[in-house]
Amino acid sequence: MSKWEIVIGLETHAQLSTKSKMFSGASTAFGAAPNTQACAVDLALPGVLPVANVGAVERAIRFGLAVGATINTTSIFARKNYFYPDLPKGYQISQYEVPVVQGGSLTITTSAGQKTVRLTRAHLEEDAGKSLHEDFHGMTGIDLNRAGTPLLEIVTEPDMASAEEAVVYAKALHALVRWIGICDGNMQEGSFRCDANVSVRRSGEPLGTRCEIKNLNSFRFMEKAIEFEVHRQIELIEDGGKVVQETRLFDPDIGETRSMRSKEDAHDYRYFPDPDLPPLMIGDDWIARVQREMPELPAAMAARFIADYVLPAYDAEQLTASLAFARYFETATNIVGKANAKIVANWMLGELSAALNRHEIDIENAPISPQQLAALVTRVQDGTLSNKGGKEVFEALWQSGKDSKNDIDAVIAERSLQQISDEAALEKMVDDVLAQNPAIVAEVRAGKEKAFNSLVGQIMKASRGKANPSQVNVLLKKKL
Amino acid sequence: MILPDLSRATVAELSAGLTARQFSSLELAEAYLARIAAAQPTLNAFVTVDPDGARAAAKAADTARAEGKSGALLGIPLAQKDLFMTEGLRTTCSSKMLANFVAPYDAHIVTALKQAGSVLLGKTAMDEFAMGSSTETSFFGVVRNPWQPDAVPGGSSGGSAAAVAAGLTPAATGSDTGGSIRQPASFCGITGIKPTYGICSRYGMVAFASSLDQAGPMARSAEDCALLLTAMAGHDGRDATSLPRPKEDYSRELATPPSAKPLEGVRIGLPDVFFGDGVDAPVVAAIEAALVELCALGATTVPVALPNLGYSVPTYYVLAPAEASSNLSRFDGVRYGHRAAQYNDLSDMYQKTRAEGFGDEVKRRILVGTYVLSHGYYDAYYLKAQKVRRLIADDFQAAFAQCDVILGPTVPTVAPLLGAQSQDPIKMYLNDIFTIGANLAGLPAMSVPCGFAPNGLPVGMQLQGPYFSEARLLNIAHRFQQATDWHKRTPKGMNHE
């Protein structure tokens, strides 16, 4: 029997980071009391009309340029008609035949190497409200705060061949939309939501019937859901069954997907161009301006880090995980000099990342500024601090909080962390230890390496850890 | 107080009277409110009358005038078609669905007319959701034609037309999707203009067919229409189809002094299709007489072709219902408007609410519209109709290369009797043949009274012009009205003085 191939395409809804809604002036802020951020347009009162949010369009353009797509100079808003209580107009304004962004691709790095995922399109649309089925004694509550929130729906070609690839793509996309500042990427609040189209086939055979899995609101769930779905489909076919095209919902509690609605139940959405909105015209000058204002993209920045700062590819990729992280790195490196870039990288990928993870905060909110980290690196480099002392200063700075203007030298002095690098003082310590340990000295002279280390240990102990270890090494060797 | 004969008074005359302090705005409003009260049992032109609001606005206008303010519409009573949102005053669209709906905001044109100092008397009846040509589909009962109470006033702006014709208001607003200003204006012997699409903001006007709907004034003269349109028109950022053009004074061409040949140089295009077999003889006779008059004023005529206009009715009756079927989806019983009292589940609530809330004509159009947008039918109906729409617009463009204005009857007939056509929707749709073209092409068009049939019912002629030619159309109509008195005639029994 031939091998199974997995075919996955993703549809991602990225909530655009505009202050106001896609077609109205109401606020998009999350978490307000129900129906307090829904204006007459969002409520679909009789007579109201939509006006497209220029900021949302601009974000779509920025995305298109970032993925090397075509920006359609004319695109069409269309109505997707269906009845649901949280859809006030009885239709959703979306883009159907002609989206604003067409094509493009995203290159991802998986355990197997680099891979390019082709994008089909990205189109602008508005979100629906929320139906609240709990707490209303059998009735349903409607919250229209989310109604009209701008979304960019980003659709891939069926280019991913494993759950791992799908997750890596989704993470890369997530990083990109945050990098270019079009989406806050908050998955808990639903700002970044993925649906996966999954099918399987035997090698060489035509594409299998696909199922769409909805409700993948974390990368972990996405991986589990796709893996479950792949196994389900393969088992079904191997048992002589057939995959039915349907929409399935992932249930994170049991780790399984279950049928939500079949293709036969699918609505006829009766798409047609929205007559309230003229075709969306995007001039070349607008595209050119967005291009000029585009931040350096992560791949380009990583390549530059490798070339300019002589960093390993892994470090460069990690440092460009987010724009804020990369900017932090460059700010600190500019202070300490290119030659010390790798040391900054080590601190950021080691101590700093660990602390950020431990405290679950973003780099934007880190209590240690890049200027402070640069000062720390400088003090380690000039021998004022040992590595261990540096870590202690790092911890002290972290504890004192973001707002403190702590001078690093004051922290070092306050905690007496200054390393002893004074030649004469060190020499005296070395002489004392040698005088007190004639037996060990003899062992060293007989060629026992362990005995040498024992002497170093004794000197460090005598200095309460403050002796500069490399200087101690040099002195010891000279004296023995 | 010396009030003029309100059965025939124009806005311009009333404005002059207010300026000369011959009467106050409050006195004027009271007089119109009394006329409305007297006529309402027979004509039923209003859905809602707002005496308190009218008095308050009139007093405010009088105060403003005392403080030195002026303006053509300051203190002038007006009526709004009942699909324009009026804050605090119910807006029903003559439908059970919105029978008790009170909007929290004013439509753009309502705001504009209020800011001009006008006084809102009330809201006029219409065909339900503007779907119809007779105002017989109103949930609040039929409206009668002041010229002959057993005839329809036309529609869908039938309440506005009847109210102006009967002197219950000097002017009113209408909306025109396929002729809903011009056809009732023709049937009731008044003047009405549908401007170029995009001239008047649609914000706050309940949408029937968004790509065709335009608001416009209905009044006793072209001069009055120009005064109202000047206040109503203008760019509005809340309507993406509102055109960003500078404000215009549509009266500007009217001010030049009358001369023997004021229409010298005006080329009137005459398409065959407007003078074919389907047009009633008295209508043809009135139009031909009007042409003689226009030529006497200096205009010349030229034959033009509109080869695709014959397809306008089927094109319109695909596109308008398609848009309507989607536009009316918001009336679902969830947030406002009628909701069925008893239902089993969500689907049942939708079905009962909409079955109870909408009348037959609205349901018919929702069904047609839903059908033509359905999977598998979209290309054959909706897309094809869009292509024909383009051809019709191109026809007009070609015709306007040869002429300045296209003239013909507004409607092939005079007003039919109540009930005569309401059982035969197709026949009623076909009567829109002359008016629909301007909506499909987005062109300005107006109806001007030009005679009467032997049965005493008025005939209207339609003037259609190129985009943004409103000022010129109004001027041509004004010169015609300076030379004729058709627009000054009043229906019998309406002079209650």
Side-chain angles (χ1 to χ4, degrees):
Chain A
M1 191 173 304
S2 55
K3 228 179 123 234
W4 285 102
E5 278 181 10
I6 302 160
V7 180
I8 303 164
L10 287 186
E11 292 172 17
T12 306
H13 288 90
Q15 180 181 325
L16 297 173
S17 55
T18 54
K19 286 201 170 64
S20 62
K21 292 187 176 177
M22 185 65 228
F23 299 108
S24 84
S27 168
T28 54
F30 181 82
N35 298 311
T36 57
Q37 291 186 166
C39 68
V41 174
D42 306 318
L43 292 168
L45 292 187
V48 297
L49 294 169
V51 177
N53 183 330
V54 172
V57 176
E58 180 148 327
R59 282 164 176 77
I61 298 171
R62 206 181 303 161
F63 176 78
L65 294 174
V67 295
T70 302
I71 310 299
N72 280 322
T73 48
T74 302
S75 62
I76 307 288
F77 287 110
R79 294 185 183 177
K80 179 181 181 178
N81 294 283
Y82 64 97
F83 284 97
Y84 204 69
D86 60 23
L87 187 73
K89 296 187 292 295
Y91 57 83
Q92 176 197 28
I93 306 177
S94 181
Q95 295 192 301
Y96 185 55
E97 284 182 331
V98 194
V100 60
V101 173
Q102 206 138 28
S105 65
L106 202 59
T107 299
I108 58 172
T109 309
T110 67
S111 52
Q114 285 209 327
K115 175 165 187 170
T116 296
V117 176
R118 293 168 300 157
L119 301 182
T120 313
R121 60 187 275 164
H123 66 253
L124 287 163
E125 62 182 30
E126 57 176 343
D127 210 342
K130 276 183 185 163
S131 293
L132 310 167
H133 298 293
E134 289 136 28
D135 307 330
F136 291 96
H137 311 287
M139 294 192 293
T140 297
I142 306 292
D143 178 6
L144 295 178
N145 282 354
R146 202 182 63 182
T149 299
L151 302 175
L152 189 67
E153 181 173 340
I154 302 155
V155 184
T156 74
E157 293 288 301
D159 280 358
M160 286 150 285
S162 67
E164 187 210 348
E165 281 186 12
V167 170
V168 172
Y169 160 80
K171 284 182 174 172
L173 182 67
H174 184 252
L176 179 67
V177 296
R178 296 178 66 199
W179 186 282
I180 60 176
I182 65 167
C183 170
D184 69 14
N186 191 323
M187 295 176 86
Q188 284 78 46
E189 292 175 5
S191 299
F192 188 88
R193 323 196 280 269
C194 294
D195 302 333
N197 282 294
V198 178
S199 66
V200 298
R201 63 173 167 186
R202 289 197 168 89
S203 293
E205 288 186 356
L207 285 173
T209 304
R210 66 186 155 87
C211 291
E212 184 182 12
I213 318 172
K214 289 207 173 280
N215 197 28
L216 306 175
N217 53 13
S218 83
F219 297 125
R220 200 165 54 87
F221 291 167
M222 180 188 291
E223 186 157 19
K224 280 178 119 178
I226 292 173
E227 275 168 0
F228 174 86
E229 182 60 19
V230 165
H231 283 125
R232 187 189 72 84
Q233 291 186 14
I234 291 174
E235 271 181 27
L236 189 63
I237 298 169
E238 286 182 342
D239 291 349
K242 265 188 163 175
V243 176
V244 182
Q245 187 173 339
E246 61 186 355
T247 303
R248 297 179 70 84
L249 202 65
F250 178 64
D251 184 340
D253 294 335
I254 52 172
E256 293 181 2
T257 66
R258 59 184 156 78
S259 182
M260 198 171 127
R261 60 171 181 263
S262 75
K263 194 190 174 192
E264 282 68 38
D265 302 333
H267 294 284
D268 178 355
Y269 290 118
R270 307 192 312 281
Y271 281 100
F272 76 107
D274 191 331
D276 286 331
L277 291 159
L280 177 59
M281 312 289 275
I282 299 172
D284 290 341
D285 48 343
W286 192 2
I287 297 172
R289 180 172 62 71
V290 176
Q291 182 74 71
R292 276 198 306 278
E293 292 167 4
M294 179 82 79
E296 187 181 17
L297 294 175
M301 196 179 273
R304 184 166 60 79
F305 283 6
I306 293 167
D308 285 9
Y309 302 124
V310 204
L311 290 179
Y314 175 84
D315 287 24
E317 196 180 307
Q318 295 296 308
L319 290 170
T320 54
S322 80
L323 186 58
F325 206 64
R327 287 199 169 137
Y328 191 107
F329 167 76
E330 288 216 282
T331 306
T333 302
N334 280 340
I335 298 169
V336 300
K338 276 188 187 182
N340 294 318
K342 174 63 181 157
I343 299 164
V344 174
N346 290 346
W347 276 95
M348 286 184 65
L349 301 180
E351 219 58 28
L352 181 60
S353 291
L356 291 173
N357 283 339
R358 197 163 54 241
H359 295 98
E360 293 183 336
I361 57 174
D362 294 327
I363 185 83
E364 289 91 333
N365 300 314
I368 298 179
S369 70
Q371 289 77 10
Q372 285 175 310
L373 186 72
L376 178 58
V377 167
T378 304
R379 286 289 168 264
V380 174
Q381 282 309 99
D382 68 12
T384 308
L385 281 173
S386 65
N387 267 321
K388 190 163 160 280
K391 285 176 186 171
E392 201 175 326
V393 172
F394 182 94
E395 192 57 34
L397 290 173
W398 186 284
Q399 294 303 338
S400 60
K402 197 179 180 182
D403 298 327
S404 80
K405 298 261 181 322
N406 255 339
D407 176 58
I408 189 148
D409 293 326
V411 174
I412 294 168
E414 186 186 307
R415 299 184 171 235
S416 320
L417 288 168
Q418 185 145 11
Q419 217 168 213
I420 301 168
S421 304
D422 178 68
E423 197 77 18
L426 285 174
E427 197 162 351
K428 186 175 179 304
M429 283 185 209
V430 171
D431 289 344
D432 288 353
V433 169
L434 290 180
Q436 288 157 16
N437 298 281
I440 302 174
V441 172
E443 281 180 32
V444 175
R445 290 196 170 131
K448 284 199 174 172
E449 286 231 356
K450 272 192 179 172
F452 182 85
N453 291 339
S454 157
L455 286 176
V456 173
Q458 299 257 10
I459 295 163
M460 293 310 288
K461 198 175 163 191
S463 73
R464 289 193 206 128
K466 288 185 199 163
N468 185 322
S470 56
Q471 273 176 285
V472 169
N473 265 298
V474 172
L475 276 171
L476 256 182
K477 277 182 183 156
K478 206 168 78 183
K479 304 247 169 195
L480 290 166
Chain B
M1 173 179 73
I2 318 151
L3 274 178
D5 176 0
L6 297 186
S7 70
R8 63 180 76 236
T10 66
V11 171
E13 288 159 9
L14 294 172
S15 192
L18 286 166
T19 305
R21 304 292 207 275
Q22 288 169 357
F23 44 86
S24 70
S25 177
L26 183 60
E27 289 163 342
L28 192 58
E30 292 290 5
Y32 275 113
L33 288 169
R35 290 179 64 85
I36 293 170
Q40 189 63 6
T42 47
L43 295 184
N44 195 32
F46 282 80
V47 173
T48 306
V49 184
D50 185 20
D52 293 343
R55 287 179 189 118
K59 280 181 199 164
D62 286 333
T63 305
R65 192 178 299 282
E67 288 168 354
K69 298 218 171 58
S70 61
L73 300 182
L74 180 61
I76 298 293
L78 295 177
Q80 290 281 1
K81 184 175 180 177
D82 206 16
L83 51 48
F84 293 104
M85 292 295 131
T86 45
E87 185 179 347
L89 185 65
R90 75 172 175 163
T91 302
T92 70
C93 287
S94 283
S95 177
K96 181 179 179 181
M97 188 62 90
L98 292 178
N100 298 305
F101 181 74
V102 179
Y105 75 104
D106 279 337
H108 179 84
I109 65 143
V110 171
T111 303
L113 289 169
K114 280 185 180 173
Q115 283 173 350
S118 70
V119 172
L120 178 59
L121 295 169
K123 309 290 289 286
T124 59
M126 52 191 275
D127 279 298
E128 185 182 7
F129 283 105
M131 296 176 186
S133 313
S134 65
T135 314
E136 289 169 286
T137 69
S138 168
F139 175 66
F140 299 97
V142 299
V143 176
R144 292 172 185 274
N145 190 318
W147 292 92
Q148 190 178 310
D150 58 353
V152 302
S156 65
S157 311
S160 285
V164 172
L168 312 183
T169 177
T173 59
S175 69
D176 190 315
T177 306
S180 282
I181 287 174
R182 293 160 287 158
Q183 186 256 26
S186 176
F187 282 1
C188 290
I190 65 164
T191 307
I193 182 165
K194 177 202 94 73
T196 305
Y197 184 82
I199 287 285
C200 288
S201 169
R202 295 185 297 113
Y203 193 82
M205 176 171 79
V206 174
F208 161 16
S210 313
S211 74
L212 302 159
D213 297 341
Q214 265 296 291
M218 305 173 78
R220 302 196 61 81
S221 68
E223 186 184 16
D224 285 3
C225 283
L227 293 174
L228 261 75
L229 186 59
T230 299
M232 292 163 71
H235 179 243
D236 176 15
R238 297 171 299 180
D239 173 4
T241 64
S242 166
L243 297 167
R245 291 168 58 82
K247 277 292 256 184
E248 258 187 77
D249 174 8
Y250 293 100
S251 303
R252 64 183 185 273
E253 295 192 20
L254 277 51
T256 48
S259 63
K261 300 262 183 204
L263 299 183
E264 192 93 67
V266 173
R267 298 165 301 165
I268 297 175
L270 300 174
D272 290 352
V273 61
F274 284 179
F275 298 89
D277 289 343
V279 188
D280 285 0
V283 173
V284 174
I287 299 296
E288 284 175 347
L291 267 174
V292 170
E293 186 63 47
L294 289 164
C295 290
L297 294 170
T300 53
T301 63
V302 54
V304 294
L306 296 172
N308 293 296
L309 196 72
Y311 302 115
S312 63
V313 172
T315 300
Y316 175 88
Y317 279 97
V318 168
L319 297 179
E323 293 184 17
S325 71
S326 178
N327 282 334
L328 270 61
S329 292
R330 69 188 58 197
F331 304 110
D332 58 5
V334 174
R335 297 168 314 289
Y336 53 78
H338 176 72
R339 183 193 289 179
Q342 301 285 322
Y343 48 87
N344 300 319
D345 56 20
L346 180 62
S347 174
D348 194 40
M349 189 280 281
Y350 283 145
Q351 289 177 40
K352 285 194 175 132
T353 295
R354 289 166 65 83
E356 294 166 9
F358 290 138
D360 286 349
E361 185 60 28
V362 172
K363 285 177 195 162
R364 188 177 292 126
R365 298 200 193 191
I366 290 174
L367 286 170
V368 169
T370 302
Y371 179 81
V372 300
L373 289 176
S374 295
H375 187 71
Y377 298 97
Y378 178 85
D379 288 3
Y381 292 102
Y382 182 82
L383 214 54
K384 186 137 197 175
Q386 287 289 24
K387 288 175 184 166
V388 178
R389 179 179 189 173
R390 166 60 55 195
L391 293 177
I392 290 168
D394 290 347
D395 282 357
F396 277 104
Q397 284 303 99
F400 286 124
Q402 298 169 272
C403 66
D404 304 302
V405 59
I406 291 173
L407 187 141
T410 306
V411 198
T413 65
V414 292
L417 296 181
L418 283 164
Q421 290 182 348
S422 52
Q423 300 313 309
D424 187 352
I426 302 290
K427 193 174 179 199
M428 195 179 286
Y429 296 169
L430 286 170
N431 276 338
D432 298 342
I433 175 89
F434 297 151
T435 48
I436 282 171
N439 300 86
L440 291 173
L443 295 166
M446 64 185 299
S447 183
V448 182
C450 70
F452 288 84
N455 65 3
L457 285 168
V459 176
M461 66 172 173
Q462 179 176 235
L463 298 171
Q464 300 181 84
Y467 298 114
F468 313 121
S469 64
E470 287 81 1
R472 176 156 226 195
L473 290 181
L474 288 162
N475 186 45
I476 294 169
H478 178 62
R479 300 303 165 186
F480 178 78
Q481 290 182 337
Q482 284 181 321
T484 59
D485 71 347
W486 305 114
H487 64 295
K488 291 182 177 164
R489 309 265 182 107
T490 53
K492 283 194 197 81
M494 287 305 149
N495 194 340
H496 301 288
E497 299 303 308

